[in-house]
Amino acid sequence: MDNEGEKDMSQTKVNSLASIAATRTPGTSAMGVGLEARNVHAWFGQKHVLSDISLDFYAGTVTALIGPSGCGKSTFIRILNRMHEFIPTAAMAGEVLLDGKDVYRSGVDVTKIRLGIGMVFQKPNPFPSMTIKENVLSGLKLAQIKINNSDELLEDCLVRAGLWSEVKDRLDQYGGTLSGGQQQRLCIARSLAVKPQVLLMDEPCSALDPGSTLRIEETIRDLSKTMTIVIVTHNMQQAARVSDYTGFFLSDGGPGELIETAPTSHIFSNPKDKRTEDYVTGRFG
Amino acid sequence: MSTVTENKPQGSNDPNQMMVPRPLKPWKATPKQLLPDVFGAIGTVIASLILVLVSPLAGILGFILTFIVLSLFIAASISWIRKDRKAAANSVSTIIIYFLAAFVLLPVASIVFEIIRKGAPGLSIGMFFDDMSVTASDAPLSEGGLLHALVGSLYVVALATIVSIPIGLLTALYLTEVKGKASGTVRFFVQAMSGVPSIVAGLFIYAVWMISLGGSYNTAAGSLALAILMIPTVARTAEEVLKLIPTDLREAGLALGATQWKTVALVVIPAARSGLITAVILGTARVAGETAPLLLTVGGNDAMNWNPFSGNNSALPFYVWKNFGLGTETGAERAWTGIFVLMVVVMIFFTIARVLGNKKG
């Protein structure tokens, strides 16, 4: 009896997540393959942390990466924009193709890669020495891009990040005076200013309250019309709400593997792998 | 604000007045609650005085010792009687902390007080416009001045700072941002250098500049000796400050497509600015009062020398050292005044640096 009850409950949960996901039509706005990972492996020192990940991110879609802590999701997305190499012992193998060209090919300008593949971090990290305005436009200064109408860009980025109405009268205050949720949206606006093709988000809402999370999810949906988004999340509801595709990562003590990838509604309603089902129903992880 | 000006009688039913909460600080003790503590403190002072008078303990030292022991004992007793054992332990540790803080502050306060007491009376406007070139060692303070020492000090410290800031800060950036292969070695040598006795720094410049290269005493040579002392202080403090800047910020900069150099220049250094200024201040403080290396490199002078790159020069610490050495009464007075001026000059620089450091943007 007990077992049956448990199964019923988890079944209900799967159904509700699947119903959220079903409202999203996968790949409707796809503009062809945007970013492709091919046979990616990663190491920290001698430790093999990611094994043979191949995953396509279609342009104009949102892909969620889910999985338990320590399964290599964050390492994987840091490989996508070459932030992985800042960890001294880090190494990788495989290819990451942006518009069909490997971002790890020799002679490539790494800063150009990161300009095209932006990143939003887990903890909001606005630059403390800069005002809200300077924060948004900092990418231009940092990447030495010259533009004519910076005020227009400023407003555009803040509007798209869903922050404009809250900060338009205090653009000259310091970024640190904003609340956590606002700071995270400021960081999103900052990444938008350099017009990336792809935006990587590493648990962008894990430090935020539900209200701010909702605002950021709306922002993600709006942004996905014009760019490819990859989001790492521990929140299954969030994955169901915002993503078109979902990839499930798992590590059984060894290196992390990509167990399954499919349109989000399939992952939550009809997963092929038993382990995926167990994870999305909350039976482990 | 209207509720204040209207000044309604008490017991008024005006709902506005009822609604406005007044800011309270209920966690602060009222004078009545403080009464036992005040009585305890006064009682302790009186009791210590009596004890010192009737017992073989004598003098200020005896009084202080008695006072410390008695205050611990009395405070513990009062707290124990009024509350419990934990309150007594709290009182005792609070009092010990206050006494220890006083022990740290006392020497500093005493030094400052003594310098002002002995140095300030000798101060006059005229001394900032004259040097000692034609003044006898026992001449009254109205003759001569310390302009040459003041200018020499400013020269030598300013040049040392100009040399040390780039080298010190770049060393810190190498250790924290570049993290090059030689980091360990560089850090080791920086630490070893910060332990170099100042006379050794002076001897080094003396050996290189005077003996090997055949140069003669000049202000720039002195500033190089001071730079040897200043660089490790600046580098170590700046390294600690830069280490405190979260990696997040660096990654945010790099993720925006910036080069490492741009990230450091536009994100890391501005975020650490106030701390980096402190690092420079500490370095300047380290060298402003140095005398020994200057004896070997700048040589000393009683006359004005405006050229920092040629000829002997003086400095305030040197002026103090020389005038004390004269053994005359006016010499000692001049020395105290020199110390006073040195202290004020250093304080002015610190204040300026602090103000600059706290100003954002």
Side-chain angles (χ1 to χ4, degrees), chain A residues 71-93:
Chain A
C71 66
K73 307 180 297 289
S74 296
T75 304
F76 179 65
I77 73 163
R78 287 170 64 91
I79 282 177
L80 297 179
N81 75 338
R82 298 195 57 170
M83 294 297 284
H84 180 59
E85 63 211 55
F86 286 113
I87 296 156
T89 58
M92 67 84 70

Side-chain angles (χ1 to χ4, degrees), chain B residues 84-342:
Chain B
D84 55 10
R85 218 179 119 249
K86 273 187 185 168
N90 185 37
S91 301
V92 168
S93 42
T94 307
I95 286 175
I96 288 175
I97 287 165
Y98 273 111
F99 276 126
L100 291 178
F103 277 131
V104 174
L105 283 178
L106 259 175
V108 179
S110 163
I111 289 169
V112 171
F113 175 79
E114 196 69 8
I115 290 173
I116 294 173
R117 192 173 69 86
K118 291 194 169 165
L123 220 54
S124 65
I125 300 289
M127 70 195 312
F128 292 104
F129 295 98
D130 205 351
D131 59 34
M132 295 294 285
S133 52
V134 292
T135 311
S137 61
D138 55 353
L141 260 67
S142 53
E143 288 176 34
L146 46 65
L147 177 67
H148 60 304
L150 185 60
V151 171
S153 253
L154 292 180
Y155 270 156
V156 78
V157 172
L159 286 174
T161 309
I162 290 169
V163 173
S164 307
I165 289 179
I167 299 180
L169 293 187
L170 288 173
T171 307
L173 286 176
Y174 178 79
L175 294 176
T176 57
E177 306 299 324
V178 181
K179 290 186 182 129
K181 284 206 179 78
S183 288
T185 320
V186 170
R187 189 173 288 116
F188 173 78
F189 277 108
V190 167
Q191 283 168 359
M193 260 176 87
S194 58
V196 167
S198 58
I199 188 96
V200 175
L203 275 172
F204 172 70
I205 296 298
Y206 182 80
V208 172
W209 176 240
M210 319 291 183
I211 297 177
S212 302
L213 298 172
S216 58
Y217 289 126
N218 72 53
T219 318
S223 66
L224 288 181
L226 294 190
I228 292 174
L229 301 167
M230 193 172 167
I231 289 166
T233 314
V234 174
R236 288 182 72 183
T237 321
E239 188 198 349
E240 293 304 321
V241 169
L242 289 170
K243 269 195 211 158
L244 292 178
I245 303 299
T247 318
D248 275 15
L249 286 182
R250 298 186 177 94
E251 292 196 335
L254 295 166
L256 286 167
T259 57
Q260 192 185 13
W261 150 241
K262 276 277 171 190
T263 307
V264 169
L266 295 176
V267 176
V268 179
I269 290 180
R273 197 179 62 153
S274 163
L276 293 177
I277 289 176
T278 307
V280 174
I281 290 176
L282 284 176
T284 317
R286 168 84 172 81
V287 301
E290 282 295 346
T291 319
L294 300 185
L295 290 175
L296 296 166
T297 51
V298 181
N301 197 343
D302 285 334
M304 198 53 238
N305 177 8
W306 290 104
N307 187 349
F309 298 103
S310 157
N312 289 23
N313 209 339
S314 187
L316 283 169
F318 180 83
Y319 176 87
V320 171
W321 174 80
K322 182 162 185 202
N323 279 293
F324 265 126
L326 291 176
T328 62
E329 203 167 303
T330 51
E333 282 172 33
R334 280 185 212 280
W336 278 110
T337 311
I339 295 171
F340 180 73
V341 171
L342 178 60

Side-chain angles (χ1 to χ4, degrees), chain A residues 78 83 86 111 114-115 121 123 125-130 142-144 174 190, chain B residues 248-249 251-259 262-263 266-267 270-271 360-361:
Chain A
R78 287 170 64 91
M83 294 297 284
F86 286 113
T111 60
R114 297 199 192 103
L115 206 56
F121 296 81
K123 234 176 73 195
N125 54 2
F127 299 134
S129 58
M130 297 185 192
L142 284 162
Q144 292 168 288
Y174 286 93
R190 182 176 66 187
Chain B
D248 275 15
L249 286 182
E251 292 196 335
L254 295 166
L256 286 167
T259 57
K262 276 277 171 190
T263 307
L266 295 176
V267 176
K360 281 209 165 191

